[in-house]
Amino acid sequence: MTSTTVASNEPNLTAFDQKQVDLLNEACILVDENDNVIGSESKKVCHLMENINKGLLHRAFSVMIFNSKNEFLLTQRSDEKITFPGYYTNTCCSHPLFNDLEMEEGGAIGVKRAAQRRMYLELGIDPLQVPLSDIKFMTKFLYKAPSSGMWGEHEIDYALVVHKDVTLNPDPNEVRSYRFLARDELVPFLGESCDDDD
């Protein structure tokens, strides 16, 4: 991308957690609406609403883990996260990076590698516990949402599913809380959680 395409104003990051600020330097994969790679930009540049409103789009993934009881692992993002702090989300969501391993496209293998990396970093799930063959690519979709003020998301999001019992050791800088929920518990729980936040 050219410098005229992306925001020229540097956001003030002093109020944010330094570990999360450092992660803003990661190189995300820029794509068009057909998921064709067109370049790379930092995570910071990709998540500024000023750039999102200009059409900047990047590749991402969402992992949904179900245990042997078919309960869904729901996580709550830490309050230190820059985008969507404290929000409930799927098991793990992040971005493949602009490198050969995570850009490999056949069978979504690069995205699966990225998911394996982030499940370890966020939730402490050993990659040997969830080999790539256990990560099922379901579909991909266009996702766009503002977070707060200057931040947001605009992604081609790969939906990945894992059916497996896993051992968790979450990083509190990434995950505030987590729980397994049966299908009939999910909507009531999220409704109560939204009411609590009012």
Side-chain angles (χ1 to χ4, degrees), residues 54-86:
K54 293 176 183 175
L56 199 66
L57 182 63
H58 61 279
R59 189 175 285 169
F61 63 82
S62 296
V63 179
M64 291 148 279
I65 293 181
F66 297 85
N67 65 16
S68 57
K69 297 177 186 175
N70 212 29
E71 296 168 325
F72 172 60
L73 176 55
L74 180 76
T75 60
Q76 183 181 22
R77 293 166 66 85
S78 78
D79 293 331
E80 285 74 36
K81 297 293 280 184
I82 293 172
T83 57
F84 304 97

Side-chain angles (χ1 to χ4, degrees), residues 55-126:
L56 199 66
L57 182 63
H58 61 279
R59 189 175 285 169
F61 63 82
S62 296
V63 179
M64 291 148 279
I65 293 181
F66 297 85
N67 65 16
S68 57
K69 297 177 186 175
N70 212 29
E71 296 168 325
F72 172 60
L73 176 55
L74 180 76
T75 60
Q76 183 181 22
R77 293 166 66 85
S78 78
D79 293 331
E80 285 74 36
K81 297 293 280 184
I82 293 172
T83 57
F84 304 97
Y87 277 57
Y88 285 94
T89 185
N90 50 55
T91 305
C92 177
C93 50
S94 190
H95 315 89
L97 301 180
F98 191 79
N99 62 49
D100 290 341
L101 282 177
E102 296 188 8
M103 290 176 64
E104 190 174 341
E105 295 189 355
I109 191 72
V111 174
K112 291 178 182 181
R113 287 180 182 131
Q116 197 179 51
R117 171 179 57 81
R118 288 302 303 183
M119 284 190 288
Y120 177 67
L121 290 172
E122 293 184 20
L123 294 162
I125 299 172
D126 189 318

Side-chain angles (χ1 to χ4, degrees), residues 100-155:
D100 290 341
L101 282 177
E102 296 188 8
M103 290 176 64
E104 190 174 341
E105 295 189 355
I109 191 72
V111 174
K112 291 178 182 181
R113 287 180 182 131
Q116 197 179 51
R117 171 179 57 81
R118 288 302 303 183
M119 284 190 288
Y120 177 67
L121 290 172
E122 293 184 20
L123 294 162
I125 299 172
D126 189 318
L128 295 176
Q129 226 183 96
V130 182
L132 297 177
S133 59
D134 286 350
I135 304 171
K136 307 301 181 200
F137 167 60
M138 304 305 289
T139 190
K140 54 187 170 180
F141 56 92
L142 182 62
Y143 171 71
K144 184 177 183 181
S147 174
S148 56
M150 73 175 76
W151 303 102
E153 288 284 6
H154 191 208
E155 313 170 324

Side-chain angles (χ1 to χ4, degrees), residues 11 15 34 46 52 59 67 83 85 98 118 128 141 147 152 158 162-163 169 172 180 186:
N34 295 312
C46 289
I52 290 169
R59 189 175 285 169
N67 65 16
T83 57
F98 191 79
R118 288 302 303 183
L128 295 176
F141 56 92
S147 174
Y158 284 62
V162 175
H163 282 94
N169 183 23
F180 284 93
L186 185 59

Side-chain angles (χ1 to χ4, degrees), residues 22 32-33 35 43 52 54-55 70 75 90 100 119 151 156 158-159 164 179 188-189 193:
D22 291 344
D32 63 21
E33 289 196 0
D35 197 32
K43 183 178 174 185
I52 290 169
K54 293 176 183 175
N70 212 29
T75 60
N90 50 55
D100 290 341
M119 284 190 288
W151 303 102
I156 297 289
Y158 284 62
K164 194 158 198 178
R179 64 185 63 221
F189 172 78
S193 299

Side-chain angles (χ1 to χ4, degrees), residues 13-33:
L13 301 173
T14 56
F16 295 106
D17 175 82
Q18 188 58 50
K19 185 173 178 183
Q20 294 296 324
V21 169
D22 291 344
L23 291 172
L24 291 176
N25 294 317
E26 291 180 335
C28 290
I29 302 166
L30 295 183
V31 293
D32 63 21
E33 289 196 0

